Amino acid sequence: MERLDELVRLVGEASAAALRVGRVVSDQYGVEPAGIPELHDLSRILESLQERTLQARMVPFGTIAEPLRRTARDLARSLGKAVELELRGQETELDRGVLEQVADPMLHLVRNAIDHGIELPEARLAAGKPRYGTVRVHATQLGSEVVVTVADDGQGIDLARVRQQAGEAGDALDGVGDDEAIYAIFRSGLSTAATVSEVSGRGVGLDVVRASLASVRGRVEVQSEPGTGSEFRLSVPITLAVLPCLLVEAAGRRFGVPMHSVVSAEAAGWSEDHVEGQVVIRVRDTILPVSDLAATIGVTAGHGEGPASDSPAVVLASMTRRHAFRVDRLLGQRNVVVKDLGRLLPRLALLAGASLEPDGSILLVLDVSGLVDRARWVRSGGAGRADPSPPPAMPAAAGPASVLVVDDTAVVRELERSILEEAGYRVRTAADGRLALAALADTPADLVVTDVEMPNCDGLELTRAIRAQPALAGLPVVVVTTRSTDADRRLAMDAGADAYLVKGDLDRRTLLEVVGRLLGLAVQPAGGAGR
């Protein structure tokens, strides 16, 4: 796979180089590149080569069918429920890397449907339903996206319970419509389960779905009908190696927006309305908020003016929300070879990566989820709310949480300890799982960070032991290991881990983000009050 990834990258570089050659020919000789047969043939061959290399990365969705069947069968049996799993579209193909990222969300959603959605056989019969509940998983390709639907014919999502739990967590949903309130189920720490078990009640399952989808620039739509069932519709790009982008101009600068996140592009002359003092636009019978793209990103043109009122607007869909952005111009669509910004730079919430333009300039590709979150924060005035872009930190008012770091390698153990202590956590360490269990029996912790390969008691055995103890069943566990395969990840999740991080990809920000999310900590901005 590494060799194939490198091949895809080189083909992308060759395509970009061909565009630069065409620009040089146009600038120096005044000849359109399309009129030169040799350049035309070169472009055609490179496009064909790029298409073939991308096809080599594709695998059928049915690759994860057996784990889904096994999960449904075992969980239904353990809960005493009668469930049929219906799989369709197994031949639908998508990038291997994308499939590996959506495999865990699929497992979580199937488990969630069986545990929270499907009723016990007696309850179904009393409600006039068939004894067997049905969970349907359907994959299909729509343009440059693969849409996976997970639906069940169970009892639906209890919105009253969702609102109650959100209110108890300090994030009341008063005044928020049902269509938006339902997405609160993806928040860390929120669960509608009445009791804590190995399957549910810890409020991290759907948060994992949200995080995994964000990593592949995907989104989710939720529909639920009380007594009828629920449907989760996941949309992910077929591949991340080459990203179709809509190019826009804002404040005199060009930006790329992933096409799979573009709902529509409204030409100049669209009419705006005002609701409660905020500018909105009506798109397909839906009222959406409108923001200036340049102002949201934080860039301004030399004259300091924003786009005109009759400028184009682009409607973008994040994982759970839609938002419209005014831009100066629409520049067209192009396939972009996106590169990350490197490990020397922190992860920037508004940027998905960058690409080299034919003229040698840098095209910044925007991260739609971060962009929509920032726009909503700006529109709210930021009052009493944290800017969504900084990394999570330990809120002083909440008091320091306790973290137990378990690793048999002293260097790694001390590195993780120093990162967490610097963020304000109280940290204890243990050299193996047996010592960790003794430490937890002596003084409980709020979260455990553990390696997998350790003497005496490894990380998976430690996680199972934690889940087996009623007093520790809800304790969040983060696995940090050198093992990077999908099979290893599933083993850890089956053991009860809440997050899985690979040491080779680990950095300070990622560790703090995961720990903060599992502890349900609000972001604490510098010099300001948190939520």
Side-chain angles (χ1 to χ4, degrees):
M1 283 303 300
E2 290 180 356
R3 292 179 179 178
L4 194 54
D5 288 342
E6 180 68 7
L7 180 59
V8 171
R9 186 189 67 80
L10 289 174
V11 173
E13 295 279 1
S15 299
L19 290 175
R20 291 195 294 273
V21 170
R23 185 177 181 87
V24 169
V25 170
S26 177
D27 292 344
Q28 294 190 3
Y29 301 103
V31 179
E32 285 297 322
I36 302 177
E38 290 79 5
L39 283 179
H40 178 74
D41 290 343
L42 176 62
S43 298
R44 179 178 53 80
I45 292 172
L46 286 174
E47 288 177 2
S48 178
L49 182 59
Q50 188 174 69
E51 181 180 345
R52 294 298 179 88
T53 52
L54 291 178
Q55 288 176 349
R57 292 173 54 94
M58 299 296 177
V59 292
F61 180 78
T63 304
I64 63 172
E66 186 54 36
L68 292 176
R69 290 193 182 96
R70 184 170 60 250
T71 295
R73 181 182 64 246
D74 295 347
L75 183 58
R77 183 182 297 126
S78 67
L79 297 176
K81 297 183 177 181
V83 179
E84 291 181 345
L85 180 66
E86 182 181 296
L87 295 175
R88 295 182 181 177
Q90 298 186 51
E91 70 284 353
T92 302
E93 292 189 336
L94 69 166
D95 188 286
R96 180 187 296 273
V98 176
L99 182 60
E100 289 176 352
Q101 288 295 321
V102 301
D104 285 340
M106 290 295 100
L107 289 172
H108 278 290
L109 289 176
V110 169
R111 290 166 65 92
N112 188 75
I114 296 173
D115 185 34
H116 292 279
I118 301 297
E119 310 94 333
L120 290 169
E122 297 79 10
R124 291 184 60 84
L125 292 174
K129 294 182 178 181
R131 173 183 175 83
Y132 276 84
T134 302
V135 177
R136 296 179 299 278
V137 180
H138 183 202
T140 185
Q141 180 180 342
L142 293 176
S144 61
E145 291 183 319
V146 169
V147 178
V148 183
T149 302
V150 181
D152 65 78
D153 63 350
Q155 57 191 342
I157 297 173
D158 187 348
L159 268 175
R161 176 72 171 167
V162 171
R163 291 179 180 274
Q164 176 189 347
Q165 291 295 309
E168 292 177 0
D171 194 3
L173 300 175
D174 298 338
V176 177
D178 289 348
D179 290 343
E180 184 171 348
I182 197 172
Y183 289 99
I185 61 178
F186 293 99
R187 297 178 186 175
S188 177
L190 191 145
S191 174
T192 58
T195 59
V196 176
S197 68
E198 292 186 6
V199 179
S200 62
R202 288 174 281 150
V204 295
L206 293 182
D207 184 42
V208 171
V209 174
R210 179 193 60 78
S212 297
L213 283 178
S215 68
V216 294
R217 308 182 189 115
R219 63 182 188 275
V220 61
E221 298 177 15
V222 185
Q223 293 181 342
S224 181
E225 190 71 29
T228 302
S230 303
E231 178 178 293
F232 292 78
R233 183 183 175 95
L234 282 64
S235 300
V236 296
I238 293 179
T239 179
L240 295 177
V242 177
L243 199 60
C245 287
L246 174 67
L247 303 188
V248 301
E249 183 178 298
R253 307 184 187 186
R254 287 178 296 178
F255 297 95
V257 180
M259 280 299 301
H260 64 268
S261 297
V262 177
V263 178
S264 64
E266 306 296 321
W270 56 273
S271 59
E272 65 180 40
D273 296 312
H274 291 78
V275 176
E276 297 181 355
Q278 301 279 8
V279 181
V280 298
I281 180 177
R282 181 181 293 274
V283 180
R284 299 173 187 172
D285 297 328
T286 301
I287 299 296
L288 295 176
V290 182
S291 301
D292 290 342
L293 180 62
T296 302
I297 298 173
V299 298
T300 57
H303 48 72
E305 297 179 359
S309 59
D310 61 347
S311 59
V314 179
V315 179
L316 303 180
S318 69
M319 196 191 78
T320 58
R321 296 186 176 99
R322 294 185 177 187
H323 200 98
F325 293 89
R326 282 187 296 212
V327 298
D328 295 336
R329 287 195 301 157
L330 302 175
L331 303 177
Q333 179 183 347
R334 190 169 75 239
N335 289 338
V336 175
V337 180
V338 181
K339 300 180 180 180
D340 61 36
L341 301 178
R343 299 185 67 84
L344 294 178
L345 289 175
R347 188 178 70 84
L348 303 177
L350 301 184
L351 297 182
S355 179
L356 188 63
E357 288 283 80
D359 61 1
S361 63
I362 300 297
L363 174 71
L364 296 179
V365 179
L366 301 176
D367 180 88
V368 173
S369 293
L371 189 65
V372 172
D373 288 343
R374 172 66 67 84
R376 293 173 67 88
W377 177 78
V378 171
R379 283 173 65 90
S380 69
R385 300 186 61 193
D387 186 330
S389 59
M394 185 70 189
S402 172
V403 179
L404 177 62
V405 174
V406 189
D407 200 300
D408 61 328
T409 304
V411 174
V412 175
R413 193 166 61 239
E414 289 306 305
L415 175 62
E416 293 175 354
R417 180 192 61 78
S418 64
I419 291 174
L420 293 167
E421 284 187 345
E422 183 182 346
Y425 297 100
R426 290 184 292 111
V427 183
R428 292 180 292 157
T429 62
D432 59 48
R434 183 179 300 173
L435 294 174
L437 289 173
L440 290 172
D442 180 58
T443 306
D446 296 311
L447 181 140
V448 172
V449 178
T450 180
D451 187 19
V452 171
E453 298 175 281
M454 298 182 295
N456 299 323
C457 174
D458 66 24
L460 299 184
E461 293 171 339
L462 170 62
T463 304
R464 295 189 189 100
I466 290 174
R467 295 289 173 251
Q469 299 183 35
L472 301 176
L475 180 64
V477 177
V478 180
V479 170
V480 181
T481 177
T482 56
R483 299 178 178 180
S484 59
T485 68
D486 191 47
D488 289 323
R489 185 185 299 271
R490 289 200 184 96
L491 285 175
M493 292 303 179
D494 289 343
D498 299 302
Y500 190 94
L501 303 176
V502 179
K503 289 182 178 179
D505 300 328
L506 186 65
D507 55 23
R508 175 183 180 277
R509 183 185 182 94
T510 301
L511 179 61
L512 293 180
E513 280 183 340
V514 171
V515 170
R517 186 179 78 242
L518 292 177
L519 289 174
L521 300 177
V523 177
Q524 178 75 18
R531 280 190 287 232

